Amino acid sequence: MKKIIFYLFFVIMAATLPYYAGGYLLHVSTTILIFMSLSLSWDMMLRTGQLSFGNAGFFGLGAYASLISVSNLDIHPVLSLFFAAVFAAGVALVVGFAVLRLRKIYFAITTLALALVFEVIVMNLSDLTGGSSGRVLPQAIFGGNSVLIYWLILFITIIVILISELLNKSKTHYAINSIRNDEITARSSGINVFKYLVFVFVFTSAIQGIIGGVYTQQYAFVMPESTFSLDFLLLPIAMALVGGIYTTMGPILGAIFLGLISEYLKLIMPYGHLFIYGLIIVIVILFLPEGIYKVARKKYRNRKSQEVKLDASSEGK
Amino acid sequence: MKINQKKTSWLFAILFFIVIIVGIWDASALIYGLQRGSLYALIALPLAMVLGIMDILNLAHGELLTVGLYASYVLFINFSIDPLISTLPVFIFLVILGGIIYFLTIKKVLGEGHLPQLLLTFGISIMLIELIKIYWTTRPRNVYRAYASSSITIGNFRIGSYEFLYVFLAFAVFLLLKLFLKKTRLGQAVYAVGQNPRGAEIVGINVDLVYLFIFCLSSGILGLTAGVMLPRVSIFPLTGNPFSLISFALVAMAGMGSINGILLAGITLGIAEAVIQAIPGYGGWSDLVFFGVLIAVIMAKNIQEA
Amino acid sequence: MPVLKVNNLLKKFGGLVAVNNLSFTAEKDEILGIIGPNGAGKTTVINVIAGTLPVSGGEVVFKDRQVTELPAYQRNQLGISRTFQTVRPLQDFTALENIMVGALFGKKLQLNEAREKALKICEYIELERHDLPIDKLTVLELKKIELGRALASDPELLFLDEIMAGLNSEETWQMIELIRKIKENEVAICVIEHVMKVVAELTSRVIVLDRGDIIAQGPYQQVSQQKQVITAYLGKEG
Ligand SMILES: Nc1ncnc2c1ncn2[C@@H]1O[C@H](COP(=O)(O)OP(=O)(O)OP(=O)(O)O)[C@@H](O)[C@H]1O
Ligand SMILES: [Mg+2]
């Protein structure tokens, strides 16, 4: 109950942000929400034990699918987001049937290569995609109204957060956690490993696709260099790691924390600000493998249990 | 490292087949492929060593090459040291850099599983790319050397003659490495650690030292290669990046731990690439075929029942 | 009708024949022992019957159904469960959750049903500290988790791979009692065991494997007198 009130408080705070925050903070928050969703989607795949470097690729596919469906098929921009999700999911399904038979470094490196393949294909289908110079939309979604855009992205992010929470409370949680812990045990306990991997891969790719679509509709353009940019791979990973992997709270905290830092970094170092993200990943892996959230939670719990002990001893007197 | 444990005969067969076909159709592609492929193999070898012996896939592999290229570039611009001469200082520089990276980071994730290892080296690769961006921006840079642009004419074809140096260097490095593994005590220790680290530890081999040595040597070979490459490539922060992937594909193709296989796989891939690029009008798609082949190779050799 | 029938089971690892044309059956009302020296192929037999590894030849028939080509998870859902020689608990789960996994997927229960079932099993196998994370548990408790997870899918055929290894004699007795109790529920049980006292105590029939071949079978008292069995074991020791 306490938790629900807590969440509700944050949702209301976030939803009413446009009324008390300035344009700049609104813009920063929009960006943070975008990366939050990406980070959660990456983490959800990681919960199966498979490290994917393909998320930027599906983001890019979604971006192009959304833009093309709006300009060529005249679909409403909001509807184009569904198209982006379905398209990314479709590709993930086909590709997943092959790559999800790989494990560990083989899976990771193949997803990395896949993202490059997507980019090369997009570059070369220049009639449709505009090649290396990209394409623009006549107008951003909602006529460029930044408040409406913010609400749309907030809405999507809340859904992604809910999905992540549900995933951690459902039967699927037990399946993917088992697969990550010990695949052989999972198989001998009746878990259809491949089915669950495909399922998670497809819906996380759909999330990445939809976010790619939103991003495109917000800025009204696509270009291979920026749409398939390393940012959309690197930042979500760094955020999830900093916050703490395998949780919903981790990527959320990580996205807020790094999102704010990132704005500051862009100001002081326009060139090479991604350096810090690389450094953060390295530091987290070496010194804080559990991320902030889990460490903080443990500290909190330890203190609590100590307090309980203290209470007990004082009662004894 | 399990040398020659995996059969490389199928690679021989494919290579032989391609060579015949291509040789009849376009001899220059054959030579170009041999040159290019030797370079690929030369760059893949260090990745294979680290992967085979330390069981770590180093995603910052390509970036170490980039660092080598920039180091050589700096020596040329600031001190007018010819890239070929700078191979030695750059080799030493990269050995030291490798040692630092090993002590500060890699050492701490040995045996920790693929997840922290991949993420760690991914982070390192980003750091190196971005550091280079900060100092040299993304502007491409070139080093012109007259000797590197000479060419020879065979029949109707003009072929770069400088690139034969890749072939020479590749074969030299491969031979030296094999000799080293067979003939020296350290080489034997490396071999033993690659086979069974715990067993090696028990018989008194300093496994940690072997790992350090391998990582430094790998990094050093990349420095050596960088100096030789510099006159023929235009360098920018992402120059080396694709080589991590290419190198891994070669290792996958050769079969984990096969040194000969890497050389063969490299040359096969080099020729295949030359052929694709020679098809008129499809230049842009050659990357796709290239990555397609890489993915297919990894898939074919590592699919497991799922 | 036997629950399990294997015909000419063959398993090769490269050139090594680990299981060589094995044929045997297992019945509901018996505890079958599979014994043999180290490396005889006992674990491999389980692996191919449970589907953990693919066969190289032969067939596995479970309850009159061909399961030779089925993946491991389907065999488990049909009613074949196994424990592992070296325990393989799911690290990020508590003991109870480990057992729940078997009920959730092997038996296809929903979360709350699975939790109840797992609690019942904990009681049944006398695992009290089931809320603890894995790294806080003793060997006996880990073995019980293995057993509990295998039981949670209501198997009709249960393989126990050296489940007594690492237990002291009191714990071993506890486990023997437990296995007998499980047998009463109409489960066909195959135990792999090195401790001969346990084999003698528990099994109604044994199969002796040596280098992938059956070299003897029958009641333990009989088999243990046979010359080829003694040589196989002595060969290992000497
Ligand atoms: N996955 C595998 N790959 C290659 N060889 C294997 C594999 N599993 C088992 N073997 C080999 O097959 C043979 C039989 O092994 P298995 O584990 O079945 O023996 P076991 O009877 O269970 O022995 P133990 O009493 O030591 O458990 C051994 O020679 C072993 O080395
Ligand atoms: Mg065994």
Side-chain angles (χ1 to χ4, degrees), chain A residues 132-174:
Chain A
S132 57
S133 49
R135 273 179 83 168
V136 294
L137 282 170
Q139 176 179 54
I141 193 170
F142 304 137
N145 182 329
S146 58
V147 174
L148 288 181
I149 293 175
Y150 170 77
W151 275 334
L152 174 67
I153 294 175
L154 178 65
F155 176 71
I156 294 173
T157 308
I158 289 175
I159 291 185
V160 174
I161 291 172
L162 284 178
I163 292 176
S164 168
E165 270 299 280
L166 279 180
L167 191 68
N168 268 354
K169 299 218 157 38
S170 66
K171 202 171 155 173
T172 309
H173 167 68
Y174 287 86

Side-chain angles (χ1 to χ4, degrees), chain A residues 28-47:
Chain A
V28 172
S29 307
T30 309
T31 310
I32 287 178
L33 291 177
I34 286 204
F35 281 107
M36 195 182 282
S37 298
L38 286 177
S39 185
L40 279 165
S41 75
W42 178 78
D43 185 67
M44 283 188 259
M45 187 65 207
L46 193 72
R47 290 177 206 169

Side-chain angles (χ1 to χ4, degrees), chain B residues 142-169:
Chain B
N142 293 289
V143 163
Y144 177 77
R145 299 269 79 192
Y147 60 72
S149 41
S150 67
S151 64
I152 50 168
T153 313
I154 307 172
N156 301 327
F157 306 113
R158 278 168 57 83
I159 291 156
S161 51
Y162 177 78
E163 280 91 339
F164 281 109
L165 196 54
Y166 299 160
V167 184
F168 169 75
L169 192 65

Side-chain angles (χ1 to χ4, degrees), chain C residues 26-84:
Chain C
E27 314 265 351
K28 227 173 215 152
D29 48 6
E30 66 171 355
I31 298 179
L32 175 68
I34 300 178
I35 61 173
N38 289 103
K42 306 180 293 293
T43 300
T44 308
V45 169
I46 296 187
N47 281 338
V48 289
I49 294 175
T52 313
L53 294 174
V55 297
S56 311
E59 57 171 12
V60 181
V61 181
F62 176 65
K63 292 198 295 182
D64 269 348
R65 187 176 160 178
Q66 263 284 355
V67 297
T68 321
E69 300 296 325
L70 288 186
Y73 80 90
Q74 282 183 6
R75 298 193 206 192
N76 179 254
Q77 290 172 354
L78 285 176
I80 304 178
S81 278
R82 54 100 43 103
T83 65
F84 291 96

Side-chain angles (χ1 to χ4, degrees), chain A:
Chain A
M1 197 58 212
K2 232 163 127 190
K3 214 173 168 185
I4 292 177
I5 293 172
F6 185 74
Y7 277 129
L8 224 66
F9 171 74
F10 273 99
V11 170
I12 291 169
M13 286 290 286
T16 54
L17 186 83
Y19 297 109
Y20 57 82
Y24 176 65
L25 188 60
L26 193 66
H27 177 77
V28 172
S29 307
T30 309
T31 310
I32 287 178
L33 291 177
I34 286 204
F35 281 107
M36 195 182 282
S37 298
L38 286 177
S39 185
L40 279 165
S41 75
W42 178 78
D43 185 67
M44 283 188 259
M45 187 65 207
L46 193 72
R47 290 177 206 169
T48 67
Q50 316 305 315
L51 169 59
S52 169
F53 285 120
N55 43 351
F58 290 103
F59 174 92
L61 287 186
Y64 274 88
S66 164
L67 182 129
I68 290 168
S69 63
V70 170
S71 359
N72 294 29
L73 306 174
D74 225 11
I75 288 180
H76 188 274
V78 175
L79 211 60
S80 82
L81 301 181
F82 286 99
F83 186 72
V86 171
F87 184 69
V91 174
L93 184 66
V94 173
V95 167
F97 262 87
V99 295
L100 289 169
R101 291 173 195 281
L102 301 171
R103 291 292 179 273
K104 298 184 179 171
I105 57 174
Y106 298 99
F107 177 79
I109 203 114
T110 308
T111 53
L112 191 65
L114 266 182
L116 290 171
V117 167
F118 294 161
E119 192 177 342
V120 173
I121 292 178
V122 163
M123 286 269 249
N124 282 283
L125 292 176
S126 41
D127 290 344
L128 211 53
T129 62
S132 57
S133 49
R135 273 179 83 168
V136 294
L137 282 170
Q139 176 179 54
I141 193 170
F142 304 137
N145 182 329
S146 58
V147 174
L148 288 181
I149 293 175
Y150 170 77
W151 275 334
L152 174 67
I153 294 175
L154 178 65
F155 176 71
I156 294 173
T157 308
I158 289 175
I159 291 185
V160 174
I161 291 172
L162 284 178
I163 292 176
S164 168
E165 270 299 280
L166 279 180
L167 191 68
N168 268 354
K169 299 218 157 38
S170 66
K171 202 171 155 173
T172 309
H173 167 68
Y174 287 86
I176 61 180
N177 214 348
S178 305
I179 298 169
R180 181 179 81 236
N181 279 190
D182 191 326
E183 201 176 317
I184 292 182
T185 304
R187 284 171 200 279
S188 342
S189 310
I191 297 174
N192 185 347
V193 172
F194 189 59
K195 182 184 91 179
Y196 280 101
L197 290 184
V198 170
F199 172 65
V200 177
F201 190 61
V202 167
F203 87 72
T204 54
S205 300
I207 294 172
Q208 285 145 18
I210 215 170
I211 298 295
V214 173
Y215 190 81
T216 305
Q217 295 301 333
Q218 184 190 358
Y219 291 99
F221 83 100
V222 285
M223 205 168 90
E225 206 173 302
S226 53
T227 303
F228 287 99
S229 146
L230 195 58
D231 292 32
F232 302 113
L233 171 62
L234 176 63
L235 270 63
I237 294 180
M239 288 164 175
L241 285 174
V242 165
I245 50 177
Y246 311 146
T247 62
T248 304
M249 223 34 186
I252 294 179
L253 294 178
I256 295 173
F257 180 60
L258 287 192
L260 292 176
I261 290 184
S262 148
E263 287 308 311
Y264 177 67
L265 281 178
K266 269 187 214 156
L267 292 181
I268 56 165
M269 47 194 293
Y271 249 116
H273 65 274
L274 291 183
F275 173 78
I276 306 291
Y277 289 99
L279 183 65
I280 286 172
I281 291 181
V282 170
I283 289 176
V284 170
I285 293 288
L286 291 179
F287 302 109
L288 202 72
E290 300 222 287
I292 306 174
Y293 175 60
K294 280 187 197 158
V295 171
R297 198 172 57 176
K298 256 187 207 156
K299 282 238 165 84
Y300 174 75
R301 280 194 182 154
N302 280 349
R303 184 136 44 102
K304 244 180 145 176
S305 64
Q306 263 171 12
E307 273 165 18
V308 172
K309 269 184 218 150
L310 283 180
D311 282 354
S313 59
S314 62
E315 261 167 34
K317 274 174 194 170

Side-chain angles (χ1 to χ4, degrees), chain B residues 2-184:
Chain B
K2 300 170 197 98
I3 298 160
N4 293 334
Q5 296 249 315
K6 298 265 162 60
K7 288 201 180 82
T8 47
S9 50
W10 69 278
L11 260 179
F12 264 117
I14 292 178
L15 181 64
F16 188 68
F17 189 68
I18 291 175
V19 164
I20 301 271
I21 301 283
V22 174
I24 295 167
W25 175 60
D26 183 354
S28 69
L30 197 64
I31 296 174
Y32 177 81
L34 176 71
Q35 296 171 335
R36 190 97 201 129
S38 302
L39 184 64
Y40 288 161
L42 196 52
I43 297 171
L45 179 68
L47 183 107
M49 282 159 55
V50 172
L51 188 59
I53 295 165
M54 300 167 66
D55 205 18
I56 284 188
L57 173 58
N58 181 11
L59 289 179
H61 181 73
E63 276 59 52
L64 288 174
L65 179 69
T66 314
V67 169
L69 286 166
Y70 274 92
S72 183
Y73 171 79
V74 166
L75 288 179
F76 179 73
I77 296 293
N78 296 350
F79 307 99
S80 314
I81 300 175
D82 188 277
L84 286 184
I85 296 172
S86 77
T87 48
L88 189 65
V90 173
F91 173 84
I92 294 168
F93 171 64
L94 269 158
V95 165
I96 295 170
L97 181 66
I100 293 172
I101 291 178
Y102 176 82
F103 271 117
L104 290 182
T105 64
I106 305 287
K107 191 172 189 282
K108 306 206 162 74
V109 294
L110 286 169
E112 294 279 313
H114 73 291
L115 186 66
Q117 293 167 352
L118 286 176
L119 288 170
L120 175 78
T121 55
F122 174 67
I124 295 173
S125 107
I126 301 291
M127 284 171 71
L128 293 175
I129 292 174
E130 296 296 311
L131 263 186
I132 291 169
K133 263 192 207 164
I134 292 170
Y135 281 99
W136 290 286
T137 73
T138 49
R139 186 163 67 81
R141 284 147 208 275
N142 293 289
V143 163
Y144 177 77
R145 299 269 79 192
Y147 60 72
S149 41
S150 67
S151 64
I152 50 168
T153 313
I154 307 172
N156 301 327
F157 306 113
R158 278 168 57 83
I159 291 156
S161 51
Y162 177 78
E163 280 91 339
F164 281 109
L165 196 54
Y166 299 160
V167 184
F168 169 75
L169 192 65
F171 278 87
V173 167
F174 273 77
L175 262 177
L176 280 176
L177 185 74
K178 295 194 94 169
L179 272 179
F180 163 77
L181 284 174
K182 273 219 182 87
K183 300 280 173 202
T184 65

